[in-house]
Amino acid sequence: GGSEYTRFSLPAEDEVLLQKLREESRAVFLQRKSRELLDNEELQNLWFLLDKHQVPPLTGDEAMINYESFLKVGEKAGVKCKSFFTARVYAKLLHNDPYGCISIMQFFNYVMRKVWLHQTRIGLSLYDVAGQGYLRESDLENYILELIPTLPQLDGLEKSFYSFYVCTAVRKFFFFLDPLRTGKIKIQDILACSFLDDLLELRDEELSKESQESNWFSAPSALRVYGQYLNLDKDHNGMLSKEELSRYGTGTLTSVFLDRVYQECLTYDGEMDYKTYLDFVLALENRKEPAALQYIFKLLDMENKGYLNVFSLNYFFRAIQEQMKIHGQEPVSFQDVKDEIFDMVKPKDPYKITLQDLVNSSQGDTVTSILIDLNGFWTYENREVLVASDNDSNTADLDDT
């Protein structure tokens, strides 16, 4: 019976109260942690001390410091800096200087980075409602939503676009850091990957056009991705049908592959929403990354066997051959392509290609392009011609429309 448990569970109001108390005490604890970090004034003071104790430049023009002076600065810099002035840190920053000195700038950057990581960990932990060291999707959404006003690069975003922006940003974290789709990511993993750096690069008032375009979290990038989605949505119902998605990129993905996308991915009455679309874009725009290859592999592995064999390759490549016929091109024999794929991947088992084989081969992007995208196959087939005009055509990003 359920009754024997009831006396252990608390009434709802108490639950809410306890929850609030727990959150409060964690917030207080984290604020205390935050006060243990160096603030701007203390960082400036540290720089001043380092500068004062530098050794006369013996080689090059970079300001250096020796171990003895390093320890002196450590004594003067105060208790918050103690952990930075160790032999281990010094050794870490010692790069073949003939006089055994380290660069003041490199040391200072090391300290700043550490402080920043701690600050960010505390910032993220404030959103970890359960206090388990993980963030769920809604936690990370809140973190990013409240971060927007602190990022000058996002000043121009309309308030009405915020929810789409947050969705776009959060997807990247979850696509790459939650490959098993558990719905949560370790704060440790968030700190270890480079995405936060990209996000916080938007604090710079001045950011070059190149940096903006290559940064998934920038306003132009988010607007590009959302704009493409709106462009594809011909009937303006806020969702993409298979027919609408077929115009994605250069419009050359095979219908066999698109069928698989709609079989495997979360759809509503056979249409795809923005969130599902983002996973699709992240997979196709990052075909070198294991998480993206995992996404595409799952679509290619129709019977969920955990490997691709000659039959599965042929199934997808037939669609490429049919498209070539339609375009009046001479279809290429499957036999040749199959041999080339197995040569590129060199799988452990000569008849089966696993996801691991694909990742290890670092040819995953080429192999998947050959199988799902006529344009990708065409680029591969004509690589000799293209290499002459563009040394890096093999890795050319075909989705960048």
Side-chain angles (χ1 to χ4, degrees), residues 38 70 73-75 77-87 89 107:
L38 295 166
F70 175 77
V73 174
E75 281 159 26
V79 58
K80 282 189 188 178
C81 291
K82 226 178 100 138
S83 62
F84 299 119
F85 287 92
T86 63
V89 171
F107 172 69

Side-chain angles (χ1 to χ4, degrees), residues 67 70 86-95 102:
Y67 189 55
F70 175 77
T86 63
R88 208 177 65 99
V89 171
Y90 191 88
K92 200 183 196 145
L93 297 170
L94 191 56
H95 305 302
I102 64 169

Side-chain angles (χ1 to χ4, degrees), residues 268-307:
Y268 306 86
D269 292 332
E271 300 218 0
M272 172 186 287
D273 72 350
Y274 185 53
K275 205 160 134 181
T276 307
Y277 174 74
L278 286 169
D279 280 343
F280 174 79
V281 172
L282 284 163
L284 291 182
E285 285 191 0
N286 299 281
R287 290 184 214 184
K288 279 192 168 348
E289 300 296 326
L293 287 172
Q294 181 182 338
Y295 176 102
I296 298 174
F297 185 87
K298 193 176 153 191
L299 300 174
L300 297 175
D301 177 15
M302 308 229 326
E303 290 167 18
N304 211 355
K305 290 187 179 139
Y307 62 82

Side-chain angles (χ1 to χ4, degrees), residues 129-146:
V129 183
Q132 303 287 313
Y134 286 93
L135 292 187
R136 296 165 316 187
E137 241 171 279
S138 53
D139 303 329
L140 192 56
E141 282 168 1
N142 291 331
Y143 174 75
I144 289 179
L145 185 62
E146 290 175 31

Side-chain angles (χ1 to χ4, degrees), residues 304-316:
N304 211 355
K305 290 187 179 139
Y307 62 82
L308 308 176
N309 56 19
V310 176
F311 292 106
S312 32
L313 297 183
N314 189 25
Y315 179 80
F316 285 95

Side-chain angles (χ1 to χ4, degrees), residues 210-260:
E210 292 79 56
S211 301
Q212 283 189 27
E213 280 169 7
S214 63
N215 186 335
W216 175 262
F217 302 102
S218 73
S221 167
L223 289 163
R224 167 185 76 93
V225 175
Y226 186 61
Q228 280 174 345
Y229 181 76
L230 291 182
N231 276 338
L232 292 171
D233 180 18
K234 276 284 173 254
D235 62 5
H236 308 303
N237 69 343
M239 302 266 207
L240 301 183
S241 64
K242 190 194 134 190
E243 180 55 40
E244 288 172 328
L245 186 67
S246 70
R247 293 173 30 254
Y248 172 81
T250 49
T252 52
L253 290 168
T254 66
S255 65
V256 172
F257 175 67
L258 290 166
D259 285 338
R260 289 291 297 141

Side-chain angles (χ1 to χ4, degrees), residues 332-365:
V332 175
S333 101
F334 170 67
Q335 229 34 49
D336 295 349
V337 171
K338 178 204 70 160
D339 292 344
E340 286 175 36
I341 288 177
F342 275 92
D343 278 350
M344 273 191 270
V345 179
K346 302 188 177 50
K348 279 209 173 74
D349 175 329
Y351 299 104
K352 296 176 182 170
I353 294 176
T354 64
L355 173 60
Q356 203 47 54
D357 290 328
L358 211 50
V359 171
N360 294 348
S361 75
S362 38
Q363 299 280 338
D365 53 333

Side-chain angles (χ1 to χ4, degrees), residues 14-32:
D14 289 17
E15 256 307 83
V16 173
L17 211 68
L18 273 173
Q19 176 72 20
K20 285 264 177 287
L21 259 168
R22 271 204 305 268
E23 284 178 22
E24 268 307 296
S25 58
R26 280 191 54 247
V28 170
F29 166 73
L30 290 166
Q31 276 157 0
R32 201 172 65 232

